[in-house]
Amino acid sequence: MTKVLEVVDISKYYIHKTGWLPGKKICALEPISFSLERGETLAIMGETGSGKSTIAKLIAGAEVPSQGDIFLNGQRLDPHNYRQRCQHIRMIFQDALRSLNPETSVGAQLAEPLHFNTDWDQEKKTSHVVETLRKVGLLPDHYNFYPHMLSSGQQQRVCIARAIILEPQIIVADEAFVALDPSIRAQIINLMLDLQQDMGISFIFVTHSAEIVKHIADKILIMHHGRLIEFGTTEALIKNPQQELTKNLLHAESKHNVLTHSTIQE
Amino acid sequence: MNILDIRNLSIEIETSNGPVRVIDKLSLQLAEGEIHTLIGESGSGKSLLAKAILGFINPRWKITADRLWWRQYDLLALSRAQRRQITGRDMAMIFQNPGTYLDPNSTVGEQLRESIPSHDLPGNILTRRKQIQKRAEELMHRVGIKDHDAILESYPFELSDGVAQKISIAMAIAHRPKLLIADEPTTAMEPNMRSQIYRLLAKLSAGDGMSILMITQDLTAVIPESKRISLVYCGQLMETGPTEDVMREPVQPYTGAMLSTSLFSSETKPKSRLPTLTGAIPTLQHMPIGCRLGPRCPNARRACIEQPPLRSYKKHEFACHYPLIEVDSHD
Ligand SMILES: Nc1ncnc2c1ncn2[C@@H]1O[C@H](COP(=O)(O)OP(=O)(O)OP(=O)(O)O)[C@@H](O)[C@H]1O
Ligand SMILES: Nc1ncnc2c1ncn2[C@@H]1O[C@H](COP(=O)(O)OP(=O)(O)O)[C@@H](O)[C@H]1O
Ligand code: SF4
Ligand SMILES: [Mg+2]
Ligand SMILES: [Mg+2]
């Protein structure tokens, strides 16, 4: 298998400046390394403030690492060349509505990346947008809709459509499922699984939900205070966690829930 | 004995498409000391039901019910002032974002002490103040906060979500309410904090005989201490009954869908497509007629354009023309 993504010793420091005092250096992420293969799904878990979103943003190019390198198919990504990266790595956020432009129609928002990254004519762009809408379970009619006219699940679909329209190799999703209603969340998970199968996309996602992780992740990365404390296959981390935190994160939900109680699960 | 008894409650709100029943003939009973979980996706009217119970209602809403009783009081027959008095004495509520209703300008201690009723305390001002301080510390312990001195001195923005929620619980139970309504108290919280809050609520109910109406989006948030659950969809009651019975043997298609879509089943194969309802939750302006699950329901047929009556099966009650299990109808 080929490594789509290789992360080598990336780290992130923030300088907190208070008044005229010299800034205090805050380490959001200590140097970490890992890699991901084509079509693979990586889950990032950890407590609040442990650096999950920082990793997501560094990979997607929304932040520049303080140190370290990221390689895509063996080629080093220039941290300042956002255009180069955004064709291949796309990000989806938790708050779908806020990450869409309220004043632009769905179709126009989806066509935008095509203006910058292709030399297609208008007709070809439109048909590609319509095709992408269909892929995420929306209709051609939605081309002329504005974000506020859509339900939260449909808004998240538009975000996914925008993420896949350039046929990227990697999608990064930061808590993209939490705000969704259960029936819609399952629809979106199914959609991600389908897209992954059809397009061979690799998928990196941040979540608190052990159940989603167990269902879709191939590998899990556990963060604690800006440090990677455990990394391995989903199976290995479930069966044989090396860290107490890993065990906690992967079993937390079931601890206090009737659905997993023995009386119910015959 | 039911302490709260709601039968066929409807709330009608004016929309751009005319009046809509946001809550449509909903029934709910809560016994003393019981935890009852109300489950519904967004827009199902959960928060509105909470408001109707507490009496925080917009005078323009049209509210009707066969019965809306709290203990011996017929709430719909009371004046606003009388209702406010009963709510203030007997009921309390906690919300999804405790940060948004704690006052950012005063310390946790000031706010907590203010929520402690002082009129029935004996003694003069000085001894009262001591008793209030003692009660505040006691409340902090009850909600599982040990370093009470530091927390009482801090301002709300200095607290993590979990601690802020614990404070809001302490404030809510300060006057020893008989009913606590918890409206999605842990949505967007991390799982560890989530189970801490739920355990705490369960303990409070067991210790004080407080009844709790737990409101959530998600079947995965139902705790073992919640002996009864109700599922609502777009303001209509789908199924209600003892938690174990409903979960083991769901009768209503919505319950079935919610159960199979929540990833807890041991049979779910990794990366398999999850069973779920198709389509989207309708907006208020476009509510389906009859059974509102209709457009998304796998069992729907023509009869579903009539709202099904509440029927019983063993210990549950459900509303459906074509249930998942064959049910003798003797009505
Ligand atoms: N722009 C920033 N400026 C300063 N500090 C930051 C910034 N972004 C993140 N941090 C800090 O870096 C650390 C890691 O933050 P990060 O957002 O990655 O956490 P997280 O694991 O995503 O947490 P959560 O579960 O709450 O989303 C935190 O201590 C945070 O306060
Ligand atoms: N004050 C209000 N005026 C008009 N519509 C409202 C009002 N409050 C709630 N609604 C509508 O009623 C429906 C149910 O709301 P709510 O009880 O908040 O749902 P839930 O808490 O189950 O998500 C929603 O469609 C919502 O938009
Ligand atoms: S009444 Fe009809 S639409 Fe409603 S749940 Fe039953 S079968 Fe489905
Ligand atoms: Mg984050
Ligand atoms: Mg609500």
Side-chain angles (χ1 to χ4, degrees):
Chain A
M1 275 216 254
T2 46
K3 287 199 181 7
V4 152
L5 183 78
E6 241 184 309
V7 170
V8 183
D9 282 335
I10 54 163
S11 62
K12 182 73 187 174
Y13 298 93
Y14 289 106
I15 308 291
H16 271 231
K17 248 185 131 37
T18 38
W20 42 267
L21 291 165
K24 206 166 80 188
K25 205 161 140 187
I26 291 204
C27 180
L29 184 67
E30 291 187 22
I32 71 164
S33 305
F34 62 88
S35 62
L36 194 66
E37 271 148 38
R38 189 177 140 79
E40 233 181 10
T41 301
L42 170 73
I44 304 175
M45 298 184 84
E47 292 162 318
T48 296
S50 59
K52 307 181 295 290
S53 300
T54 305
I55 300 181
K57 282 186 274 188
L58 292 178
I59 292 172
E63 294 267 8
V64 178
S66 304
Q67 275 165 9
D69 293 302
I70 299 173
F71 297 88
L72 187 75
N73 300 313
Q75 196 190 355
R76 182 176 169 274
L77 291 173
D78 176 355
H80 298 284
N81 186 345
Y82 187 66
R83 284 272 294 281
Q84 169 204 15
R85 178 170 339 208
C86 77
Q87 259 195 51
H88 305 295
I89 307 180
R90 308 283 295 181
M91 189 147 174
I92 313 171
F93 300 90
Q94 171 179 341
D95 192 340
L97 185 57
R98 231 188 305 164
S99 62
L100 295 170
N101 181 347
E103 278 148 24
T104 313
S105 73
V106 165
Q109 293 193 52
L110 293 180
E112 203 175 312
L114 300 176
H115 298 316
F116 292 114
N117 294 288
T118 69
D119 48 12
W120 298 350
D121 59 25
Q122 193 56 43
E123 196 184 337
K124 179 139 194 227
K125 279 186 228 162
T126 306
S127 74
H128 190 70
V129 169
V130 169
E131 174 63 13
T132 309
L133 283 171
R134 197 191 51 73
K135 265 192 197 152
V136 299
L138 293 170
L139 302 168
D141 289 352
H142 288 119
Y143 193 101
N144 296 315
F145 275 51
Y146 286 82
H148 72 269
M149 298 157 78
L150 302 170
S151 70
S152 57
Q154 288 171 325
Q155 287 160 3
Q156 197 57 284
R157 281 169 199 265
V158 173
C159 292
I160 293 173
R162 196 176 51 182
I164 64 167
I165 196 148
L166 293 172
E167 309 199 332
Q169 301 178 39
I170 300 172
I171 290 182
V172 182
D174 192 352
E175 293 281 14
F177 309 120
V178 274
L180 299 171
D181 284 300
S183 67
I184 309 301
R185 179 170 23 185
Q187 289 176 3
I188 298 290
I189 290 173
N190 290 347
L191 171 64
M192 297 304 308
L193 288 166
D194 286 340
L195 291 173
Q196 189 165 40
Q197 204 168 52
D198 296 348
M199 306 170 70
I201 297 175
S202 304
F203 189 34
I204 299 177
F205 72 105
V206 175
T207 185
H208 284 311
S209 165
E211 306 312 321
I212 295 179
V213 169
K214 287 175 193 164
H215 190 64
I216 66 179
D218 299 299
K219 288 180 179 166
I220 305 174
L221 194 160
I222 307 281
M223 295 299 298
H224 183 57
H225 292 321
R227 281 189 14 242
L228 185 164
I229 60 162
E230 197 163 1
F231 177 55
T233 64
T234 305
E235 206 189 340
L237 263 60
I238 290 171
K239 286 213 177 108
N240 194 13
Q242 300 299 306
Q243 300 282 341
E244 199 55 32
L245 179 65
T246 307
K247 211 156 79 188
N248 261 330
L249 291 171
L250 286 172
H251 297 289
E253 276 176 30
S254 38
K255 250 189 333 213
H256 212 67
N257 185 285
V258 276
L259 287 171
T260 45
H261 266 227
S262 51
T263 49
I264 311 276
Q265 252 189 15
E266 282 137 312
Chain B
M1 242 300 272
N2 288 328
I3 193 166
L4 178 69
D5 190 6
I6 303 174
R7 314 248 166 182
N8 290 326
L9 172 76
S10 295
I11 301 181
E12 208 173 271
I13 288 181
E14 204 57 48
T15 75
S16 54
N17 272 12
V20 175
R21 277 194 176 174
V22 183
I23 290 185
D24 193 11
K25 299 196 195 136
L26 201 71
S27 297
L28 183 111
Q29 283 84 36
L30 190 64
E32 196 165 351
E34 179 185 52
I35 302 181
H36 190 129
T37 306
L38 181 71
I39 301 142
E41 297 183 277
S42 54
S44 57
K46 307 179 296 293
S47 300
L48 227 43
L49 177 72
K51 286 182 194 158
I53 296 169
L54 295 166
F56 301 154
I57 345 176
N58 185 323
R60 286 196 311 264
W61 300 346
K62 213 173 107 202
I63 301 192
T64 53
D66 292 345
R67 219 175 143 78
L68 179 56
W69 282 58
W70 165 251
R71 302 168 67 207
Q72 69 273 36
Y73 306 105
D74 177 355
L75 294 180
L76 288 182
L78 297 180
S79 71
R80 274 183 99 77
Q82 287 169 317
R83 272 200 86 166
R84 213 171 308 132
Q85 197 191 351
I86 290 177
T87 302
R89 188 189 63 202
D90 289 352
M91 305 178 185
M93 181 154 176
I94 58 171
F95 303 87
Q96 183 174 340
N97 300 310
T100 53
Y101 69 92
L102 290 173
D103 177 358
N105 298 316
S106 48
T107 64
V108 167
E110 288 165 51
Q111 295 179 61
L112 181 57
R113 283 190 294 271
E114 223 163 86
S115 63
I116 296 170
S118 57
H119 47 83
D120 48 356
L121 291 175
N124 58 31
I125 290 189
L126 267 179
T127 56
R128 271 190 196 178
R129 196 178 279 169
K130 260 204 196 122
Q131 291 177 66
I132 289 179
Q133 178 64 22
K134 213 174 121 231
R135 174 97 175 110
E137 288 169 14
E138 194 183 286
L139 282 165
M140 299 287 272
H141 288 171
R142 296 218 49 199
V143 299
I145 293 175
K146 287 183 196 81
D147 51 343
H148 55 81
D149 284 336
I151 302 279
L152 284 173
E153 290 301 311
S154 43
Y155 286 86
F157 59 84
E158 297 173 296
L159 308 174
S160 72
D161 283 358
V163 173
Q165 191 58 281
K166 287 180 181 174
I167 301 293
S168 81
I169 294 173
M171 287 168 63
I173 62 171
H175 66 288
R176 302 190 170 88
K178 295 190 169 60
L179 171 69
L180 177 67
I181 301 181
D183 192 358
E184 306 198 43
T186 64
T187 309
M189 247 179 226
E190 52 179 310
N192 270 323
M193 191 47 80
R194 200 168 145 160
S195 34
Q196 266 189 42
I197 298 287
Y198 277 122
R199 248 192 326 253
L200 171 62
L201 290 173
K203 222 167 69 188
L204 291 174
S205 150
D208 295 1
M210 189 166 67
S211 308
I212 301 185
L213 181 62
M214 208 83 103
I215 297 179
T216 166
Q217 264 199 347
D218 206 323
L219 268 174
T220 60
V222 181
I223 55 172
E225 290 83 355
S226 169
K227 296 299 178 213
R228 299 181 74 82
I229 55 175
S230 296
L231 289 99
V232 285
Y233 182 78
C234 292
Q236 295 178 337
L237 182 64
M238 299 280 122
E239 185 159 6
T240 180
T243 308
E244 289 209 5
D245 299 47
V246 172
M247 291 207 183
R248 189 180 302 127
E249 212 178 3
V251 183
Q252 221 279 352
Y254 186 66
T255 318
M258 292 307 271
L259 267 170
S260 52
T261 202
S262 62
L263 287 152
F264 281 87
S265 159
S266 49
E267 288 127 53
T268 320
K269 249 188 43 229
K271 306 224 183 205
S272 60
R273 303 300 175 269
L274 301 171
T276 183
L277 297 167
T278 55
I281 298 168
T283 58
L284 208 50
Q285 288 80 7
H286 299 99
M287 277 299 161
I289 49 168
C291 176
R292 290 177 174 173
L293 190 64
R296 305 182 71 196
C297 178
N299 286 14
R301 279 182 257 166
R302 188 175 299 155
C304 302
I305 56 168
E306 296 282 343
Q307 188 178 359
L310 211 54
R311 289 195 281 162
S312 48
Y313 169 74
K314 294 189 183 166
K315 289 187 216 150
H316 350 172
E317 285 184 292
F318 69 95
C320 178
H321 294 297
Y322 306 106
L324 301 172
I325 292 172
E326 207 147 309
V327 177
D328 294 337
S329 49
H330 1 240
D331 45 8

